[in-house]
Amino acid sequence: MSTEVVSLKRSQIDAASEVLAQAFNADPMFSYFALEDEPARLDLINWVAKTILRYSQHYNHIYTTQHDLKGVAVWLPPTKYPLNNVRFLLSGLYRIPPRLRFDRFKQLIALFSKLEGYHQQDLPEKHWYLFMLGVAPTYQSQGIGSLLLQPILKQADREKLPCYLETSTEKGVRFYQRNGFEVLRSGTFPKTNLQYWTLKREPS
């Protein structure tokens, strides 16, 4: 049976955030900023994912697989980045983040400020932004992630618009390169040893 990509329904946000939490469980960023146990890390990722999903649902460009949620791709359309900070707060950030290491909170703010600055420098023109993409561990390495990217990659090609994203793993870099992205920047954040890459895909 072929896997069909569909738009995520609002009623699926809780289930989708759980899929993303499992997908990012080993991500070094979350491991660094969450309290040092797996339940704490999963709680934090779930909260971040749910906030992103609630915020992005407004734009109706979140994709998943029909029937079983094997993965989730969250896109922001052209002109919708930078974020609307007020609406982002109302999507979940007004709550105190669960299981966060508050001794590293300033580092977290500095990290995201730096990435946001790079984003705005690298792509001031209209573009699609991949806010978050994750595949449940059971379904990884089966082509699900690439499949979830296709609706917007095809639309971006039709519109002649680039796409942009950030990742924090070499595995992520290789995956996105296979899907037509090229690295713009890479580096390590001071005092954290956390690596980052920003990537751009030109329309074909």
Side-chain angles (χ1 to χ4, degrees):
M1 182 183 295
S2 62
T3 301
E4 184 177 349
V5 175
V6 296
S7 294
L8 186 81
K9 299 175 183 176
R10 185 174 294 275
S11 61
Q12 295 177 301
I13 284 179
D14 287 348
S17 66
E18 291 177 7
V19 169
L20 289 168
Q22 292 293 333
F24 281 88
N25 188 27
D27 187 275
M29 291 280 186
F30 287 108
S31 297
Y32 184 80
F33 289 110
L35 296 175
E36 295 179 359
D37 63 85
E38 186 175 34
R41 188 167 60 252
L42 288 171
D43 278 355
L44 178 61
I45 305 169
N46 191 299
W47 175 81
V48 170
K50 194 171 294 185
T51 299
I52 288 173
L53 288 164
R54 286 173 175 166
Y55 178 89
S56 305
Q57 185 73 37
H58 178 76
Y59 303 116
N60 198 33
H61 292 292
I62 306 176
Y63 298 93
T64 189
T65 51
Q66 193 174 36
H67 307 307
D68 296 331
L69 272 65
K70 297 177 181 179
V72 184
V74 187
W75 290 91
L76 292 184
T79 74
K80 300 306 178 184
Y81 190 91
L83 303 179
N84 180 323
N85 290 328
V86 172
R87 201 161 61 75
F88 199 54
L89 287 170
L90 294 175
S91 298
L93 284 178
Y94 63 89
R95 288 201 308 115
I96 296 174
R99 311 298 187 97
L100 179 68
R101 286 196 58 167
F102 283 99
D103 59 322
R104 295 179 175 176
F105 187 70
K106 289 184 178 179
Q107 291 179 329
L108 177 64
I109 298 300
L111 182 154
F112 281 104
S113 295
K114 181 68 73 173
L115 286 176
E116 185 172 1
Y118 290 155
H119 188 163
Q120 294 185 43
Q121 291 172 34
D122 291 339
L123 228 59
E125 68 267 31
K126 290 173 61 177
H127 63 280
W128 285 91
Y129 174 48
L130 183 61
F131 207 162
M132 199 171 197
L133 168 68
V135 175
T138 305
Y139 297 106
Q140 290 178 6
S141 301
Q142 298 179 25
I144 300 297
S146 296
L147 192 65
L148 290 169
L149 291 176
Q150 292 309 305
I152 296 305
L153 296 189
K154 291 177 180 178
Q155 184 168 343
D157 287 344
R158 291 194 301 269
E159 298 170 341
K160 302 299 181 186
L161 291 175
C163 300
Y164 184 89
L165 61 89
E166 304 100 356
T167 188
S168 57
T169 66
E170 292 182 352
K171 181 180 179 181
V173 172
R174 293 192 296 271
F175 166 77
Y176 290 117
Q177 287 176 327
R178 290 196 298 271
N179 282 278
F181 287 82
E182 296 182 356
V183 174
L184 293 179
R185 297 177 187 258
S186 63
T188 303
F189 289 107
K191 302 180 182 179
T192 67
N193 290 322
L194 292 173
Q195 295 179 285
Y196 67 88
W197 290 262
T198 69
L199 296 97
K200 176 183 179 182
R201 177 187 181 274
E202 297 286 359
S204 61

